[in-house]
Amino acid sequence: MRSCFHRTFRAVQICIATVLIASCGKVFPVSGPDRHPQITAEMRSVWQRSLRQDYGTYLPSEEETAQVFDAILDDAAKRETCSRIVAVLEEEAIIHAGKTILNPVRYSLHAPFELPRIGRDLTGWSSRMACQGGEGDLTPDRIVRAFAFDINRLFRENHHAVKEEDDLILEKPDIRFDDVEESILLVAMAAMARLKEAYAGISEEEVKFLLGKTSAMLEEFVVQNNVDENRKSEDGKFDLLAIAGKLQYKSLAEAAGMLATLAGPEMIQRYKRLDGSAKPGQVLSLDPRFRGDFVYARQTHVGLILIGGRGKNVYGGDAAVIIDLGGDDVYTGNAGASIYEIENSAIAEVVSPLGVVVDLGGNDRYISTRSASMGAGFLGVGLLVDLEGDDIYVGHMLTQGAGLMGIGCLMDMKGNDTYTSQYMGQGAGIFGAGLLFDAGGDDLFTAAKYAQGLGGPGGVGELVDLSGDDQYVLGGQFGSGYGTRKIFQGYGQGLGWGWRGHAGGGLGILHDLAGNDRYEAGNFAQGTGYCFGLGLLRDDSGDDRYWGSRYCQGVAAHQAAGIIMDYKGDDVYLGQVAANQGAAWDVSVAGCYDYAGDDVYVGSDLSLGAAEQNGIALFYDKEGKDIYRTPVKRTLGFGGRTNYAEGRGAANLGIFVDRGGALDGYPEGVRENNVFSVDENIGIFLDQ
């Protein structure tokens, strides 16, 4: 059987040399009947111009993956089936083009077999940060600037005509003043000027509407998983989506880059040279919520600027800028987030659109029950930088690297840290961007919902961890929306989520570069896309454990894209309920890729390269002696039903590939080693 299989597979490979496949990693023609006569030639032309085609050169592993999938689609019938599905994917994106669909989502629907390359491109900046070289080369300001460049690129590409003046230019403010305090003020003033440019197109009335609706809108999102009732004003005059479209992301990114200067090596060295004692007249009377030793305290037109001494300080109030020279400190105020005032349970005013904390050392505690804290940008920019120590972060909503029509970044550079949040935190963005970057240590991340790499509508949310044996836990508060007992909602760990019927999702990314990690989550997590969103979970090395529920581990639903990529290690994947490990539902694309190791996959219904309702689902395990435990049906290379919208004139494509030559373990009577098979509508299984 084995020699017969190799002859068959070799014949399939030879077909590539003689048959032009326009290709399952490149561009598919739009073929078959046009289901949408409202799509004009101009609309198609705009769609083509909006796609960024260059996602870099192929890595050897990616090229090999593309070649295998090319070889599998070895005849005209399979190619036509695939082309028609992609045509449906493109048509859905074209008719919903006004719903804030970011370019990587569009391109994923356009070229689904390039998902690994798209995933690597989206994590390229964080990979480069890990390769900075010596310990002193990885600095917080470089991290923020790299992130700012990347999000500006992503938002800029959403415009059909990219102009040279849209390129991000990060100017460093002049910090050569003799007084550190004057340098801090100058940087804050320069960033404030950029923030005014970012929001110049938004009127005072529109800002008032946003402030009045924000709390209710966020609560509706958390509970209903959509925003409808609080998206518009009662008279229909104001619409959140229309207002968000006026935000100038370039100026916002430039403001973040400027503020990062306060955490650059030059400024940090100047902070360390301070003697830690206050000079006469430099510490004004402070709110009693601030306790401890302070070197400098001044109220400025950008807000309160504080420099804390090397002892234990308590920062119980809000401040625009806090520089702490050391000690085991406690922060219960804004802690590097935009500052606002509350009246009658509603946000009345943004007092300062910027907030910065730079803490040089100590085992610190950051605790807040407010919305927007710990590196959060709410209609502004927030940065929190902690250089060392075993720290504890406890936040509520919009926290620990979150942006709502703003940019928020939390960077912890050293230590074994604990992060706890409720909603929309730990790398979350909605019409903005959020980043949580942890440079080292064995860390624990826990959250209730919408966290750990969440890209909401028009947003980018990223959680990046460079090293350590980390644990990510998401869910446990809300029961499953499907009524499944003992299963909870998760929504994160690399989730791109849209407001269905209103706005397409953004980019949610979790990138862990090293360590033996554990990922635990409820529904919709671990590289999942929903409603024109893209979710990505990438783990570069280590023996990892992935535990999920429904829609987890490289899946997508309702015109979206989901990717999970694991490069090294003996890993275990567990999906407790339907749709796991490379599953696509309803005009979506999804991929699960594992490139090395002896892995164990426990999937449920619709898993391991399974698609229904016009989806393309891909599963690829490159090498190792693997074990697969799945139910009998709808798995291991499966193409299922197409009854939505009368079938849309297209089928499904579910592909399962296990390579490497080892004898793998399959459920008895379901699949076997060394087999190539094609099932109806179209499910493809290949074990080589």
Side-chain angles (χ1 to χ4, degrees):
M1 175 182 285
R2 187 173 181 84
S3 60
C4 178
F5 164 78
H6 279 294
R7 286 196 300 273
T8 302
F9 186 67
R10 179 58 179 164
V12 173
Q13 290 180 310
I14 292 173
C15 287
I16 306 174
T18 56
V19 179
L20 292 177
I21 303 175
S23 129
C24 294
K26 312 297 186 296
V27 180
F28 289 96
V30 175
S31 60
D34 192 342
R35 296 174 43 253
H36 300 287
Q38 71 270 34
I39 298 179
T40 65
E42 176 60 23
M43 292 170 69
R44 293 191 186 278
S45 177
V46 170
W47 161 263
Q48 290 293 335
R49 293 198 304 270
S50 74
L51 294 172
R52 177 166 71 96
Q53 306 283 346
D54 180 16
Y55 277 86
T57 59
Y58 279 104
L59 289 180
S61 60
E62 296 165 350
E63 185 172 12
E64 179 181 313
T65 304
Q67 288 175 350
V68 171
F69 287 130
D70 283 349
I72 286 173
L73 299 173
D74 61 332
D75 58 47
K78 295 192 192 77
R79 293 197 301 276
E80 174 61 23
T81 296
C82 193
S83 296
R84 185 57 212 146
I85 299 171
V86 172
V88 170
L89 295 172
E90 289 193 326
E91 288 167 1
E92 289 293 320
I94 291 171
I95 63 175
H96 293 94
K99 294 184 177 178
T100 325
I101 308 174
L102 297 181
N103 185 279
V105 182
R106 293 197 298 263
Y107 195 73
S108 296
L109 298 175
H110 172 71
F113 288 79
E114 291 200 20
L115 289 181
R117 200 151 63 115
I118 295 169
R120 180 169 54 85
D121 177 85
L122 292 174
T123 50
W125 79 269
S126 47
S127 296
R128 290 190 294 273
M129 288 297 99
C131 300
Q132 285 292 307
E135 182 177 346
D137 294 333
L138 181 64
T139 58
D141 62 324
R142 289 189 177 184
I143 295 169
V144 174
R145 290 171 184 273
F147 182 62
F149 268 108
D150 201 60
I151 59 176
N152 182 70
R153 172 186 67 119
L154 294 169
F155 288 128
R156 183 188 68 169
E157 288 169 355
N158 216 40
H159 300 286
H160 297 155
V162 177
K163 302 176 182 178
E164 185 176 345
E165 55 263 34
D166 293 329
D167 290 339
L168 190 65
I169 301 175
L170 291 180
E171 299 176 355
K172 288 187 177 182
D174 189 349
I175 54 174
R176 293 173 295 177
F177 286 89
D178 291 336
D179 292 336
V180 171
E181 301 83 0
E182 291 300 320
S183 295
I184 294 172
L185 179 59
L186 181 65
V187 171
M189 291 171 58
M192 189 73 82
R194 287 294 192 274
L195 287 175
K196 288 182 179 180
E197 294 175 3
Y199 301 103
I202 302 175
S203 69
E204 291 185 7
E205 282 188 308
E206 289 171 327
V207 170
K208 185 177 180 180
F209 161 75
L210 291 174
L211 296 179
K213 283 290 188 181
T214 293
S215 296
M217 182 264 292
L218 293 177
E219 183 177 350
E220 182 182 3
F221 181 31
V222 169
V223 176
Q224 302 295 332
N225 302 320
N226 204 333
V227 174
D228 187 11
E229 181 179 345
N230 294 288
R231 186 172 50 84
K232 296 183 179 181
S233 59
E234 286 74 10
D235 59 5
K237 183 178 180 180
F238 301 113
D239 186 329
L240 168 64
L241 306 183
I243 297 172
K246 300 178 181 181
L247 180 59
Q248 298 298 314
Y249 288 101
K250 176 188 175 185
S251 297
L252 195 61
E254 288 175 341
M258 286 182 171
L259 281 179
T261 305
L262 297 178
E266 183 177 350
M267 290 299 293
I268 288 174
Q269 289 303 315
R270 294 177 68 182
Y271 303 149
K272 290 180 177 179
R273 288 196 293 267
L274 295 173
D275 61 15
S277 59
K279 297 178 182 178
Q282 286 196 322
V283 178
L284 304 179
S285 177
L286 280 173
D287 186 305
R289 292 176 295 175
F290 295 98
R291 302 190 301 275
D293 297 323
F294 297 96
V295 176
Y296 180 85
R298 178 182 174 186
Q299 191 65 245
T300 73
H301 60 277
V302 300
L304 178 63
I305 297 177
L306 283 175
I307 300 179
R310 293 182 172 84
K312 179 179 180 179
N313 294 317
V314 176
Y315 299 93
D318 296 337
V321 180
I322 296 175
I323 310 297
D324 187 87
L325 304 183
D328 300 337
D329 308 301
V330 177
Y331 297 81
T332 60
N334 64 318
S338 308
I339 303 172
Y340 58 84
E341 288 186 352
I342 296 288
E343 290 182 7
N344 300 322
S345 301
I347 300 173
E349 177 187 6
V350 175
V351 178
S352 175
L354 62 83
V356 180
V357 167
V358 180
D359 190 294
L360 301 192
N363 300 324
D364 306 305
R365 287 180 291 165
Y366 301 84
I367 303 170
S368 178
T369 58
R370 58 178 277 167
S371 294
S373 66
M374 304 175 214
F378 170 54
L379 290 171
V381 174
L383 303 180
L384 192 167
V385 177
D386 191 294
L387 294 185
E388 61 181 55
D390 298 335
D391 307 304
I392 296 174
Y393 303 86
V394 180
H396 178 52
M397 184 184 298
L398 283 176
T399 186
Q400 298 166 20
L404 174 60
M405 292 191 69
I407 296 176
C409 301
L410 189 165
M411 286 148 292
D412 190 292
M413 305 305 292
K414 189 181 295 185
N416 301 321
D417 308 302
T418 300
Y419 303 86
T420 302
S421 72
Q422 289 295 305
Y423 324 111
M424 283 171 279
Q426 299 176 8
I430 301 176
F431 299 113
L435 169 68
L436 195 169
F437 191 103
D438 190 289
D442 300 334
D443 308 305
L444 172 63
F445 304 85
T446 63
K449 186 177 180 181
Y450 287 126
Q452 299 173 7
L454 165 73
V460 178
E462 301 191 32
L463 194 169
V464 179
D465 190 290
L466 294 191
S467 65
D469 298 337
D470 307 304
Q471 186 170 359
Y472 304 87
V473 180
L474 178 64
Q477 181 170 335
F478 296 92
S480 171
Y482 297 91
T484 311
R485 293 183 66 251
K486 298 183 179 181
I487 297 296
F488 295 90
Q489 299 178 34
Y491 295 82
Q493 293 185 4
L495 171 70
W497 187 269
W499 295 340
R500 199 172 180 192
H502 305 302
L507 309 176
I509 299 169
L510 197 170
H511 186 192
D512 189 294
L513 288 90
N516 301 322
D517 308 305
R518 291 177 176 268
Y519 304 86
E520 302 175 28
N523 296 343
F524 292 99
Q526 299 172 359
T528 292
Y530 178 90
C531 184
F532 294 109
L534 186 153
L536 168 64
L537 195 167
R538 171 178 170 176
D539 190 293
D540 287 6
S541 66
D543 299 332
D544 308 305
R545 303 291 182 266
Y546 303 91
W547 292 320
S549 300
R550 184 190 298 261
Y551 288 109
C552 67
Q553 299 160 16
V555 303
H558 308 304
Q559 303 89 29
I563 311 168
I564 186 170
M565 306 163 65
D566 190 295
Y567 283 90
K568 296 179 182 178
D570 300 333
D571 309 305
V572 176
Y573 301 79
L574 170 63
Q576 299 183 75
V577 196
N580 345 105
Q581 301 149 22
W585 178 270
D586 188 24
V587 196
S588 293
V589 298
C592 176
Y593 306 88
D594 191 294
Y595 291 100
D598 299 331
D599 308 306
V600 176
Y601 299 89
V602 180
S604 295
D605 189 25
L606 201 73
S607 65
L608 294 160
E612 287 205 323
Q613 312 301 348
N614 311 121
I616 294 180
L618 310 171
F619 176 90
Y620 182 85
D621 188 292
K622 181 181 178 182
E623 62 183 45
K625 186 175 181 180
D626 308 305
I627 297 175
Y628 300 94
R629 294 289 179 263
T630 68
V632 174
K633 60 180 182 178
R634 303 210 306 175
T635 186
L636 291 164
F638 173 81
R641 297 167 296 173
T642 54
N643 55 301
Y644 281 12
E646 299 180 346
R648 302 185 177 99
N652 297 290
L653 184 62
I655 302 179
F656 173 96
V657 176
D658 185 293
R659 304 193 71 201
L663 290 177
D664 305 299
Y666 295 101
E668 186 176 355
V670 178
R671 296 295 192 188
E672 299 178 10
N673 283 274
N674 306 323
V675 169
F676 176 69
S677 65
V678 181
D679 299 333
E680 186 179 358
N681 199 27
I682 285 177
I684 298 176
F685 175 88
L686 169 63
D687 183 289
Q688 182 185 15

